[in-house]
Coordinates of all heavy atoms in Angstrom, one line a residue:
M1 N -2.7 26.9 6.1 CA -2.6 25.4 5.8 C -3.0 24.7 7.0 O -2.6 25.0 8.3 CB -1.1 25.2 5.6 CG -0.9 23.8 5.0 SD -0.1 23.9 3.5 CE 0.5 22.4 3.4
D2 N -3.7 23.7 6.8 CA -4.4 22.9 7.9 C -3.7 21.6 8.2 O -3.3 20.9 7.1 CB -5.9 22.6 7.5 CG -6.8 22.8 8.7 OD1 -6.5 22.3 9.7 OD2 -7.8 23.4 8.4
I3 N -3.5 21.2 9.4 CA -2.8 20.0 9.6 C -3.7 18.8 9.9 O -3.5 17.6 9.8 CB -1.8 20.1 10.9 CG1 -1.8 21.3 11.5 CG2 -0.5 19.5 10.6 CD1 -0.9 21.4 12.8
N4 N -5.0 19.2 10.1 CA -6.1 18.2 10.3 C -6.4 17.5 9.0 O -6.8 18.2 8.0 CB -7.3 18.8 10.9 CG -8.5 17.9 11.2 OD1 -8.6 17.0 10.4 ND2 -9.2 18.1 12.1
P5 N -6.2 16.1 8.9 CA -6.3 15.5 7.5 C -7.7 15.6 7.0 O -7.9 15.8 5.9 CB -5.8 14.1 7.8 CG -5.1 14.1 9.0 CD -5.4 15.3 9.8
Q6 N -8.7 15.6 7.9 CA -10.1 15.6 7.5 C -10.4 17.0 7.0 O -11.0 17.0 5.8 CB -11.0 15.3 8.7 CG -12.5 15.4 8.4 CD -13.0 14.0 8.1 OE1 -12.5 13.1 8.6 NE2 -14.2 14.0 7.5
K7 N -10.0 18.0 7.5 CA -10.2 19.4 7.0 C -9.4 19.6 5.6 O -10.1 20.2 4.8 CB -9.8 20.4 8.0 CG -10.6 20.5 9.2 CD -10.3 21.6 10.2 CE -11.2 21.7 11.4 NZ -10.8 22.7 12.3
M8 N -8.2 19.1 5.6 CA -7.4 19.3 4.4 C -8.1 18.5 3.2 O -8.2 19.1 2.2 CB -6.0 18.7 4.7 CG -5.1 19.0 3.5 SD -3.3 18.5 3.6 CE -3.1 17.9 5.3
N9 N -8.6 17.3 3.5 CA -9.3 16.6 2.4 C -10.5 17.4 1.9 O -10.8 17.4 0.7 CB -9.6 15.2 2.9 CG -8.4 14.3 3.0 OD1 -7.4 14.5 2.2 ND2 -8.5 13.2 3.7
T10 N -11.2 17.9 2.9 CA -12.5 18.6 2.5 C -12.1 19.9 1.7 O -12.7 20.1 0.7 CB -13.3 19.1 3.9 OG1 -13.5 18.0 4.6 CG2 -14.5 19.9 3.5
K11 N -11.1 20.5 2.0 CA -10.6 21.8 1.3 C -10.2 21.3 -0.1 O -10.5 21.9 -1.1 CB -9.5 22.5 2.0 CG -9.9 23.1 3.2 CD -8.7 23.9 3.9 CE -9.2 24.6 5.1 NZ -8.0 25.3 5.7
I12 N -9.5 20.2 -0.3 CA -9.2 19.7 -1.6 C -10.3 19.3 -2.4 O -10.4 19.8 -3.6 CB -8.1 18.6 -1.4 CG1 -6.7 19.1 -0.9 CG2 -7.9 18.0 -2.9 CD1 -5.8 18.0 -0.5
I13 N -11.2 18.6 -1.8 CA -12.4 18.1 -2.6 C -13.3 19.3 -3.0 O -13.9 19.3 -4.2 CB -13.2 17.1 -1.7 CG1 -12.3 15.8 -1.6 CG2 -14.5 16.8 -2.3 CD1 -12.9 14.9 -0.5
T14 N -13.4 20.3 -2.2 CA -14.3 21.4 -2.5 C -13.6 22.5 -3.3 O -14.2 23.4 -3.8 CB -14.9 22.1 -1.3 OG1 -13.8 22.5 -0.4 CG2 -15.7 21.1 -0.4
G15 N -12.3 22.4 -3.5 CA -11.5 23.4 -4.2 C -11.2 24.6 -3.5 O -10.8 25.6 -4.0
R16 N -11.4 24.5 -2.2 CA -11.1 25.7 -1.4 C -9.9 25.7 -0.6 O -9.6 26.1 0.5 CB -12.4 25.8 -0.4 CG -13.6 26.2 -1.0 CD -14.6 26.4 0.0 NE -15.8 26.7 -0.7 CZ -17.1 26.2 -0.3 NH1 -17.2 25.6 0.8 NH2 -18.2 26.5 -1.0
M17 N -8.9 25.1 -1.3 CA -7.7 25.0 -0.7 C -6.8 26.2 -1.0 O -6.9 26.8 -2.0 CB -6.9 23.7 -1.4 CG -5.6 23.4 -0.9 SD -5.0 22.1 -2.0 CE -3.7 22.9 -2.8
S18 N -5.9 26.6 0.0 CA -5.1 27.7 -0.2 C -3.7 27.2 0.1 O -3.3 26.4 0.9 CB -5.4 28.8 0.9 OG -5.2 28.4 2.1
L19 N -2.8 27.8 -0.7 CA -1.4 27.4 -0.7 C -0.5 28.7 -0.1 O -0.9 29.7 -0.2 CB -0.7 27.1 -2.1 CG -1.5 25.9 -2.8 CD1 -1.1 25.9 -4.3 CD2 -1.1 24.6 -2.1
P20 N 0.5 28.3 0.6 CA 1.3 29.4 1.3 C 1.8 30.4 0.1 O 2.1 30.1 -1.0 CB 2.5 28.7 1.9 CG 2.1 27.3 1.9 CD 1.1 27.1 0.9
K21 N 1.8 31.6 0.7 CA 2.3 32.7 -0.3 C 3.8 32.6 -0.8 O 4.1 33.0 -1.7 CB 2.1 34.1 0.3 CG 0.6 34.4 0.5 CD 0.4 35.8 1.1 CE -1.1 36.0 1.3 NZ -1.3 37.3 1.8
S22 N 4.5 31.8 0.1 CA 5.9 31.6 -0.3 C 6.2 30.7 -1.4 O 7.3 30.7 -2.0 CB 6.7 31.1 1.0 OG 6.2 29.8 1.4
I23 N 5.2 29.9 -1.8 CA 5.4 29.0 -2.9 C 5.4 29.8 -4.2 O 4.5 30.6 -4.6 CB 4.3 27.9 -2.9 CG1 4.4 27.1 -1.7 CG2 4.3 27.1 -4.3 CD1 3.3 26.0 -1.7
D24 N 6.2 29.4 -5.1 CA 6.5 30.1 -6.5 C 5.2 29.9 -7.2 O 4.5 28.8 -7.2 CB 7.6 29.4 -7.2 CG 7.8 29.9 -8.6 OD1 8.5 31.1 -8.7 OD2 7.3 29.3 -9.6
Y25 N 4.8 31.0 -7.9 CA 3.5 30.9 -8.7 C 3.3 29.8 -9.8 O 2.3 29.3 -10.0 CB 3.2 32.4 -9.3 CG 4.1 32.5 -10.5 CD1 3.5 32.3 -11.9 CD2 5.4 33.0 -10.5 CE1 4.4 32.5 -13.0 CE2 6.1 33.3 -11.7 CZ 5.6 33.0 -12.8 OH 6.3 33.2 -14.0
K26 N 4.5 29.3 -10.3 CA 4.4 28.3 -11.3 C 4.0 27.0 -10.6 O 3.2 26.3 -11.2 CB 5.9 28.1 -12.0 CG 6.3 29.3 -12.9 CD 7.6 29.0 -13.4 CE 8.2 30.2 -14.2 NZ 9.5 30.1 -14.6
I27 N 4.6 26.8 -9.5 CA 4.3 25.5 -8.7 C 2.8 25.6 -8.4 O 2.1 24.6 -8.4 CB 5.2 25.4 -7.5 CG1 6.6 25.2 -8.1 CG2 4.8 24.1 -6.7 CD1 7.6 25.2 -6.9
K28 N 2.4 26.8 -7.7 CA 0.8 26.9 -7.4 C 0.0 26.6 -8.5 O -1.0 25.9 -8.5 CB 0.7 28.3 -6.9 CG 1.1 28.6 -5.5 CD 0.7 30.1 -5.1 CE 1.2 30.4 -3.8 NZ 0.8 31.8 -3.3
D29 N 0.3 27.2 -9.8 CA -0.5 26.8 -10.9 C -0.5 25.4 -11.3 O -1.6 24.9 -11.6 CB 0.0 27.8 -12.0 CG -0.9 27.7 -13.2 OD1 -2.1 28.1 -13.2 OD2 -0.4 27.4 -14.3
L30 N 0.6 24.8 -11.2 CA 0.7 23.4 -11.6 C -0.2 22.5 -10.6 O -0.9 21.6 -11.1 CB 2.1 22.9 -11.5 CG 2.4 21.4 -11.9 CD1 1.9 21.1 -13.3 CD2 3.8 21.1 -11.7
I31 N 0.0 22.8 -9.4 CA -0.8 22.0 -8.3 C -2.3 22.2 -8.5 O -3.1 21.3 -8.5 CB -0.4 22.5 -6.8 CG1 1.1 22.1 -6.6 CG2 -1.4 21.9 -5.8 CD1 1.7 22.7 -5.2
K32 N -2.7 23.5 -8.7 CA -4.1 23.8 -9.1 C -4.6 23.0 -10.3 O -5.7 22.5 -10.3 CB -4.4 25.2 -9.1 CG -4.2 26.0 -7.7 CD -4.5 27.4 -8.0 CE -4.4 28.1 -6.6 NZ -4.5 29.6 -6.7
M33 N -3.8 22.9 -11.3 CA -4.1 22.3 -12.5 C -4.4 20.8 -12.3 O -5.3 20.1 -12.8 CB -3.0 22.4 -13.5 CG -3.0 23.6 -14.4 SD -1.5 23.7 -15.5 CE -1.7 22.2 -16.5
I34 N -3.5 20.2 -11.4 CA -3.6 18.7 -11.2 C -4.7 18.4 -10.2 O -5.3 17.4 -10.3 CB -2.2 18.3 -10.6 CG1 -1.1 18.4 -11.6 CG2 -2.3 16.9 -10.0 CD1 0.2 18.2 -11.0
L35 N -5.0 19.3 -9.3 CA -6.0 19.0 -8.3 C -7.5 19.4 -8.8 O -8.4 19.3 -7.9 CB -5.7 19.8 -7.0 CG -4.5 19.2 -6.3 CD1 -4.3 20.0 -5.0 CD2 -4.6 17.7 -6.1
I36 N -7.7 19.7 -10.0 CA -9.1 20.0 -10.3 C -10.0 18.7 -10.3 O -9.6 17.7 -10.8 CB -9.1 20.5 -11.9 CG1 -8.5 21.9 -11.8 CG2 -10.6 20.5 -12.5 CD1 -8.4 22.5 -13.3
T37 N -11.0 18.7 -9.5 CA -11.7 17.6 -9.2 C -12.5 17.0 -10.4 O -12.8 15.8 -10.6 CB -12.8 17.8 -8.1 OG1 -13.6 18.9 -8.5 CG2 -12.0 18.1 -6.8
D38 N -12.9 17.8 -11.4 CA -13.6 17.3 -12.6 C -12.6 16.7 -13.5 O -11.8 17.4 -14.1 CB -14.5 18.5 -13.2 CG -15.2 18.0 -14.4 OD1 -15.2 16.9 -14.8 OD2 -15.9 18.9 -15.0
P39 N -12.6 15.4 -13.8 CA -11.7 14.7 -14.7 C -11.8 15.3 -16.1 O -10.7 15.3 -16.8 CB -12.1 13.3 -14.7 CG -13.0 13.1 -13.6 CD -13.6 14.5 -13.3
E40 N -12.9 15.8 -16.6 CA -13.0 16.4 -17.9 C -12.1 17.7 -18.0 O -11.7 18.0 -19.1 CB -14.4 16.7 -18.3 CG -15.3 15.4 -18.3 CD -14.9 14.5 -19.4 OE1 -14.6 14.9 -20.5 OE2 -14.8 13.3 -19.3
Q41 N -12.1 18.4 -16.9 CA -11.3 19.8 -17.0 C -10.0 19.7 -16.5 O -9.1 20.5 -16.6 CB -12.1 20.7 -16.1 CG -13.5 21.0 -16.6 CD -14.3 22.2 -15.8 OE1 -13.6 22.7 -14.8 NE2 -15.5 22.3 -16.1
R42 N -9.5 18.5 -15.8 CA -8.3 18.3 -15.2 C -7.2 18.4 -16.2 O -7.4 17.8 -17.3 CB -8.2 17.0 -14.4 CG -7.1 16.8 -13.5 CD -7.0 15.7 -12.6 NE -8.3 15.6 -11.9 CZ -9.0 14.3 -11.8 NH1 -8.7 13.3 -12.4 NH2 -10.1 14.3 -11.1
A43 N -6.0 18.7 -15.9 CA -5.0 18.7 -16.9 C -4.5 17.4 -17.2 O -4.6 16.4 -16.3 CB -3.7 19.4 -16.2
E44 N -4.2 17.2 -18.5 CA -3.8 15.8 -19.1 C -2.1 15.9 -18.9 O -1.5 16.9 -18.7 CB -4.1 15.7 -20.4 CG -5.7 15.5 -20.5 CD -6.2 15.2 -21.9 OE1 -5.4 15.2 -22.8 OE2 -7.4 15.1 -22.2
L45 N -1.6 14.8 -19.2 CA -0.2 14.6 -19.1 C 0.6 15.6 -20.1 O 1.6 16.2 -19.7 CB 0.3 13.1 -19.4 CG 1.8 12.9 -19.3 CD1 2.3 13.2 -18.0 CD2 2.1 11.4 -19.7
S46 N 0.0 15.8 -21.3 CA 0.6 16.6 -22.3 C 0.6 18.2 -21.7 O 1.6 18.9 -21.9 CB 0.0 16.6 -23.5 OG -1.5 16.9 -23.4
D47 N -0.5 18.5 -21.0 CA -0.6 19.8 -20.4 C 0.4 20.0 -19.3 O 1.0 21.0 -19.1 CB -2.0 20.1 -19.8 CG -3.1 20.0 -20.8 OD1 -2.8 20.5 -22.0 OD2 -4.1 19.4 -20.5
I48 N 0.6 19.0 -18.4 CA 1.5 19.0 -17.3 C 3.0 19.1 -17.9 O 3.8 19.9 -17.3 CB 1.3 17.7 -16.4 CG1 0.0 17.9 -15.7 CG2 2.3 17.7 -15.4 CD1 -0.4 16.6 -15.0
K49 N 3.3 18.3 -18.8 CA 4.7 18.4 -19.3 C 4.9 19.7 -20.0 O 6.1 20.2 -20.1 CB 4.8 17.2 -20.4 CG 4.8 15.8 -19.7 CD 4.8 14.7 -20.7 CE 6.1 14.5 -21.4 NZ 6.0 13.2 -22.3
A50 N 4.0 20.4 -20.6 CA 4.2 21.6 -21.3 C 4.0 22.8 -20.3 O 4.3 24.0 -20.7 CB 3.1 21.8 -22.3
H51 N 3.8 22.6 -19.1 CA 3.6 23.7 -18.1 C 5.0 24.4 -17.8 O 6.1 23.8 -18.0 CB 3.3 23.0 -16.8 CG 2.7 24.2 -15.8 ND1 3.6 24.7 -14.9 CD2 1.5 24.6 -15.6 CE1 3.0 25.6 -14.2 NE2 1.6 25.6 -14.6
A52 N 4.9 25.7 -17.6 CA 6.0 26.6 -17.4 C 7.0 26.1 -16.4 O 8.2 26.2 -16.4 CB 5.5 28.0 -17.0
Y53 N 6.4 25.4 -15.3 CA 7.3 24.8 -14.3 C 8.3 23.8 -14.7 O 9.4 23.7 -14.4 CB 6.5 24.1 -13.2 CG 7.3 23.5 -12.1 CD1 7.9 24.3 -11.1 CD2 7.5 22.2 -12.0 CE1 8.7 23.7 -10.2 CE2 8.4 21.6 -11.1 CZ 8.9 22.4 -10.1 OH 9.6 21.8 -9.1
F54 N 7.9 23.1 -15.9 CA 8.8 22.2 -16.5 C 9.6 22.6 -17.7 O 10.2 21.8 -18.5 CB 8.1 20.9 -16.8 CG 7.5 20.1 -15.7 CD1 6.2 20.0 -15.3 CD2 8.3 19.5 -14.7 CE1 5.7 19.3 -14.3 CE2 7.9 18.8 -13.7 CZ 6.5 18.8 -13.5
K55 N 9.7 24.0 -17.9 CA 10.3 24.5 -19.1 C 11.8 24.2 -18.9 O 12.4 24.2 -18.0 CB 10.3 26.1 -19.0 CG 10.9 26.7 -20.2 CD 10.8 28.2 -20.0 CE 11.4 28.9 -21.3 NZ 11.5 30.4 -21.2
G56 N 12.3 23.7 -20.0 CA 13.7 23.3 -20.2 C 13.9 21.7 -19.8 O 15.0 21.2 -19.9
T57 N 12.8 21.0 -19.5 CA 12.9 19.7 -19.1 C 13.0 18.9 -20.4 O 12.2 19.0 -21.3 CB 11.7 19.2 -18.2 OG1 11.7 20.1 -17.1 CG2 11.9 17.8 -17.9
D58 N 14.0 18.0 -20.4 CA 14.2 17.0 -21.6 C 13.5 15.6 -21.1 O 14.1 14.9 -20.5 CB 15.7 16.8 -21.9 CG 15.8 16.0 -23.2 OD1 15.0 15.3 -23.6 OD2 17.0 16.1 -23.7
W59 N 12.2 15.5 -21.7 CA 11.4 14.4 -21.3 C 12.0 13.1 -21.9 O 11.8 12.0 -21.3 CB 10.0 14.7 -21.7 CG 9.4 15.7 -20.9 CD1 9.1 17.0 -21.3 CD2 9.0 15.7 -19.6 NE1 8.5 17.8 -20.2 CE2 8.5 17.0 -19.1 CE3 9.0 14.7 -18.6 CZ2 8.0 17.2 -17.9 CZ3 8.5 14.9 -17.3 CH2 8.0 16.2 -17.0
D60 N 12.8 13.2 -23.0 CA 13.3 12.0 -23.6 C 14.5 11.6 -22.7 O 14.7 10.3 -22.4 CB 13.9 12.2 -25.0 CG 12.8 12.5 -26.0 OD1 11.7 11.9 -25.9 OD2 13.0 13.3 -26.9
Q61 N 15.3 12.4 -22.2 CA 16.3 12.0 -21.2 C 15.7 11.4 -19.9 O 16.3 10.4 -19.4 CB 17.2 13.2 -20.8 CG 18.2 13.5 -21.8 CD 19.1 14.6 -21.3 OE1 18.8 15.3 -20.4 NE2 20.3 14.7 -21.8
I62 N 14.6 11.9 -19.4 CA 13.9 11.4 -18.3 C 13.5 9.9 -18.6 O 13.7 9.1 -17.8 CB 12.8 12.3 -17.8 CG1 13.5 13.5 -17.2 CG2 11.9 11.6 -16.7 CD1 12.5 14.6 -16.8
K63 N 12.8 9.8 -19.7 CA 12.3 8.5 -20.2 C 13.4 7.5 -20.2 O 13.2 6.3 -19.8 CB 11.6 8.6 -21.5 CG 10.9 7.4 -22.0 CD 10.2 7.6 -23.3 CE 9.6 6.3 -23.7 NZ 8.8 6.5 -25.1
T64 N 14.6 7.9 -20.7 CA 15.6 7.0 -20.9 C 16.6 6.9 -19.8 O 17.6 6.1 -19.7 CB 16.5 7.2 -22.2 OG1 17.0 8.6 -22.0 CG2 15.7 7.1 -23.4
R65 N 16.2 7.6 -18.7 CA 17.0 7.8 -17.5 C 18.4 8.1 -17.8 O 19.4 7.6 -17.1 CB 16.9 6.5 -16.7 CG 15.5 6.1 -16.2 CD 15.5 4.9 -15.4 NE 14.0 4.6 -15.2 CZ 13.8 3.8 -14.2 NH1 14.5 3.1 -13.5 NH2 12.4 3.6 -13.9
T66 N 18.6 9.1 -18.6 CA 20.0 9.6 -19.0 C 20.3 11.0 -18.5 O 21.3 11.5 -18.7 CB 20.3 9.5 -20.4 OG1 19.3 10.2 -21.2 CG2 20.3 8.0 -20.8
C67 N 19.3 11.6 -17.9 CA 19.4 13.0 -17.4 C 20.2 13.1 -16.2 O 20.2 12.3 -15.4 CB 18.0 13.7 -17.3 SG 16.9 13.0 -16.1
P68 N 21.0 14.3 -16.2 CA 21.8 14.5 -14.9 C 20.8 14.8 -13.8 O 19.8 15.4 -13.9 CB 22.8 15.5 -15.3 CG 22.0 16.2 -16.5 CD 21.3 15.2 -17.1
P69 N 21.1 14.4 -12.6 CA 20.2 14.7 -11.5 C 20.4 16.3 -11.2 O 21.4 16.8 -11.3 CB 20.9 14.0 -10.2 CG 22.3 13.6 -10.6 CD 22.3 13.5 -12.2
P70 N 19.2 16.9 -10.8 CA 19.3 18.4 -10.5 C 20.1 18.7 -9.3 O 20.6 19.9 -9.2 CB 17.8 18.7 -10.2 CG 17.3 17.5 -9.8 CD 17.9 16.3 -10.5
Y71 N 20.5 17.8 -8.3 CA 21.2 18.1 -7.2 C 21.9 16.8 -6.9 O 21.4 15.7 -6.8 CB 20.2 18.4 -6.0 CG 20.9 18.6 -4.8 CD1 21.8 19.7 -4.4 CD2 20.8 17.7 -3.8 CE1 22.5 19.8 -3.3 CE2 21.4 17.8 -2.5 CZ 22.2 18.9 -2.3 OH 22.9 19.0 -1.1
V72 N 23.2 16.9 -6.5 CA 24.0 15.7 -6.1 C 24.6 16.2 -4.7 O 25.4 17.1 -4.7 CB 25.2 15.4 -7.1 CG1 25.9 14.3 -6.5 CG2 24.6 15.1 -8.5
P73 N 24.1 15.6 -3.7 CA 24.7 16.0 -2.3 C 26.2 15.6 -2.1 O 26.6 14.6 -2.7 CB 23.8 15.2 -1.3 CG 23.2 14.0 -2.2 CD 23.2 14.5 -3.6
V74 N 26.8 16.5 -1.4 CA 28.2 16.1 -1.0 C 28.2 15.0 0.1 O 27.5 15.2 1.1 CB 28.9 17.5 -0.6 CG1 30.3 17.2 -0.1 CG2 28.9 18.5 -1.6
N75 N 29.0 14.1 -0.1 CA 29.0 13.0 0.9 C 30.0 13.4 1.9 O 31.0 13.2 1.9 CB 29.4 11.7 0.2 CG 29.3 10.5 1.3 OD1 29.0 10.6 2.3 ND2 29.7 9.3 0.6
R76 N 29.5 13.9 3.1 CA 30.3 14.4 4.1 C 30.2 13.4 5.3 O 31.0 13.5 6.3 CB 29.8 15.7 4.7 CG 30.0 16.8 3.6 CD 29.3 18.1 4.3 NE 29.3 19.0 3.1 CZ 29.4 20.3 3.1 NH1 29.4 20.9 4.5 NH2 29.3 21.1 2.2
T77 N 29.5 12.3 5.1 CA 29.4 11.4 6.3 C 30.2 10.1 6.1 O 30.4 9.3 6.9 CB 28.0 10.8 6.4 OG1 27.5 10.2 5.1 CG2 27.0 12.0 6.7
S78 N 31.0 10.1 4.9 CA 31.8 8.8 4.6 C 32.8 8.5 5.8 O 33.0 7.5 6.1 CB 32.5 9.0 3.3 OG 33.4 10.0 3.3
D79 N 33.4 9.6 6.4 CA 34.3 9.4 7.4 C 33.7 8.9 8.6 O 34.2 8.0 9.3 CB 35.1 10.7 7.7 CG 36.2 10.5 8.7 OD1 37.0 9.5 8.6 OD2 36.3 11.3 9.6
Y80 N 32.4 9.4 8.8 CA 31.7 8.9 10.0 C 31.1 7.5 10.0 O 30.9 6.9 10.9 CB 30.6 9.9 10.4 CG 30.9 11.3 10.6 CD1 30.8 12.2 9.6 CD2 31.6 11.7 11.7 CE1 31.2 13.6 9.9 CE2 32.0 13.0 12.0 CZ 31.9 13.8 11.0 OH 32.3 15.2 11.3
L81 N 30.9 7.1 8.8 CA 30.4 5.7 8.6 C 31.5 4.7 8.4 O 31.0 3.5 8.1 CB 29.4 5.9 7.4 CG 28.1 6.7 7.5 CD1 27.3 6.6 6.2 CD2 27.3 6.2 8.7
E82 N 32.7 5.1 8.4 CA 33.7 4.1 8.1 C 33.6 3.0 9.2 O 33.5 3.2 10.4 CB 35.1 4.7 8.3 CG 36.2 3.9 7.9 CD 37.5 4.6 7.8 OE1 37.6 5.7 7.4 OE2 38.5 4.0 8.4
S83 N 33.7 1.7 8.9 CA 33.3 0.7 9.8 C 34.3 0.6 11.0 O 34.0 0.0 12.0 CB 33.3 -0.7 9.0 OG 34.5 -1.0 8.5
S84 N 35.5 1.0 10.8 CA 36.4 0.9 12.0 C 36.0 1.8 13.1 O 36.5 1.7 14.2 CB 37.8 1.4 11.5 OG 37.9 2.8 11.1
K85 N 35.1 2.7 12.9 CA 34.7 3.7 14.0 C 33.6 3.0 14.7 O 33.1 3.6 15.8 CB 34.3 4.9 13.4 CG 35.4 5.5 12.5 CD 35.2 7.1 12.6 CE 36.3 7.7 11.7 NZ 37.3 8.3 12.3
F86 N 33.2 1.8 14.4 CA 32.0 1.2 15.2 C 32.5 0.0 15.9 O 33.5 -0.6 15.6 CB 30.9 0.7 14.1 CG 30.2 1.9 13.4 CD1 30.5 2.4 12.3 CD2 29.1 2.4 14.1 CE1 29.8 3.4 11.7 CE2 28.5 3.5 13.6 CZ 28.8 4.1 12.4
I87 N 31.7 -0.3 16.9 CA 32.1 -1.6 17.6 C 31.6 -2.8 16.8 O 30.4 -2.8 16.2 CB 31.4 -1.6 19.0 CG1 31.8 -0.4 19.9 CG2 31.5 -2.9 19.8 CD1 31.0 -0.2 21.1
A88 N 32.3 -3.8 16.7 CA 32.0 -5.0 15.9 C 30.7 -5.6 16.6 O 30.5 -5.6 17.8 CB 33.0 -6.0 15.9
F89 N 29.8 -6.2 15.7 CA 28.5 -6.7 16.1 C 28.8 -7.9 17.2 O 28.1 -7.9 18.1 CB 27.8 -7.3 14.9 CG 26.5 -7.9 15.2 CD1 25.4 -7.0 15.4 CD2 26.3 -9.2 15.3 CE1 24.1 -7.5 15.5 CE2 25.0 -9.7 15.6 CZ 24.0 -8.9 15.8
E90 N 29.8 -8.6 16.9 CA 30.2 -9.7 17.8 C 30.5 -9.3 19.2 O 30.2 -9.9 20.2 CB 31.2 -10.6 17.3 CG 31.0 -11.3 16.0 CD 31.0 -10.5 14.8 OE1 31.7 -9.4 14.8 OE2 30.3 -10.8 13.8
E91 N 31.2 -8.1 19.2 CA 31.6 -7.4 20.5 C 30.5 -7.0 21.3 O 30.5 -7.1 22.6 CB 32.5 -6.3 20.3 CG 33.8 -6.6 19.7 CD 34.7 -7.3 20.7 OE1 34.8 -6.9 21.9 OE2 35.5 -8.2 20.3
I92 N 29.4 -6.6 20.8 CA 28.1 -6.1 21.5 C 27.5 -7.3 22.3 O 27.0 -7.2 23.4 CB 27.2 -5.5 20.5 CG1 27.8 -4.2 20.0 CG2 25.9 -5.2 21.3 CD1 27.0 -3.6 18.9
F93 N 27.5 -8.4 21.5 CA 26.7 -9.6 22.1 C 27.6 -10.7 22.8 O 27.1 -11.7 23.1 CB 25.7 -10.1 21.0 CG 24.8 -9.2 20.7 CD1 24.9 -8.5 19.5 CD2 23.6 -9.0 21.5 CE1 23.8 -7.6 19.0 CE2 22.6 -8.1 20.9 CZ 22.7 -7.4 19.8
K94 N 28.9 -10.4 22.8 CA 29.6 -11.6 23.5 C 29.3 -11.7 25.0 O 29.1 -10.6 25.7 CB 31.1 -11.4 23.1 CG 31.8 -10.4 24.1 CD 33.3 -10.4 23.6 CE 34.1 -9.4 24.6 NZ 35.5 -9.5 24.2
E95 N 29.4 -12.8 25.4 CA 29.0 -13.1 26.8 C 30.2 -12.7 27.7 O 31.4 -13.0 27.3 CB 28.5 -14.5 27.0 CG 27.2 -14.9 26.4 CD 26.9 -16.4 26.6 OE1 27.6 -17.0 27.2 OE2 25.8 -16.6 26.1
E96 N 29.9 -12.2 28.8 CA 31.1 -12.0 29.6 C 31.4 -13.3 30.5 O 30.5 -14.1 30.7 CB 30.6 -11.0 30.8 CG 30.3 -9.5 30.3 CD 29.9 -8.6 31.4 OE1 30.3 -8.8 32.5 OE2 29.2 -7.6 31.0
N97 N 32.7 -13.5 30.5 CA 33.2 -14.7 31.2 C 33.6 -14.4 32.6 O 34.0 -13.5 33.2 CB 34.5 -15.3 30.4 CG 33.9 -15.7 29.1 OD1 32.8 -16.2 28.9 ND2 34.9 -15.6 28.1

């Protein structure tokens, strides 16, 4: 994988891009489908939605925004962000007498 943006763009445009071996084959296949440079051969939305990576995806729920999120993080910072733990804004800028 190249960090140089110019080289990375060249690899994408020429189709000589390589993906890390650690990436799941379904994702690799999907990325390759989307990055085909010829618009006539490139995957259409229906092809992308039918791809194995999206198996089990309820597109109607996504459209209506009623699907449950795939991951809900645990809020462990609520105690740290409680306002009583911070210095009041006014206290920071009050002038010394």
Side-chain angles (χ1 to χ4, degrees):
M1 191 121 158
D2 225 315
I3 359 178
N4 180 325
Q6 179 98 20
K7 288 182 180 180
M8 187 180 350
N9 286 339
T10 302
K11 287 180 179 183
I12 292 170
I13 290 168
T14 60
R16 294 188 181 140
M17 178 184 115
S18 61
L19 296 168
K21 292 180 181 182
S22 60
I23 294 179
D24 183 80
Y25 75 94
K26 291 178 188 175
I27 298 171
K28 282 184 185 181
D29 186 55
L30 179 62
I31 291 170
K32 288 178 182 180
M33 281 175 55
I34 294 170
L35 293 180
I36 292 175
T37 55
D38 181 359
E40 297 296 322
Q41 295 179 10
R42 190 179 309 134
E44 295 182 1
L45 180 59
S46 59
D47 300 322
I48 294 168
K49 288 168 75 172
H51 192 273
Y53 178 75
F54 293 112
K55 183 180 180 182
T57 300
D58 187 335
W59 293 103
D60 289 329
Q61 279 190 338
I62 290 174
K63 184 178 179 180
T64 59
R65 298 181 182 197
T66 58
C67 61
Y71 172 75
V72 178
V74 176
N75 187 359
R76 296 176 188 208
T77 61
S78 62
D79 185 45
Y80 300 107
L81 296 177
E82 188 177 319
S83 63
S84 66
K85 306 215 184 247
F86 291 94
I87 299 171
F89 185 78
E90 295 79 19
E91 291 290 321
I92 296 171
F93 294 103
K94 82 176 180 183
E95 295 180 356
E96 292 184 26
N97 294 327

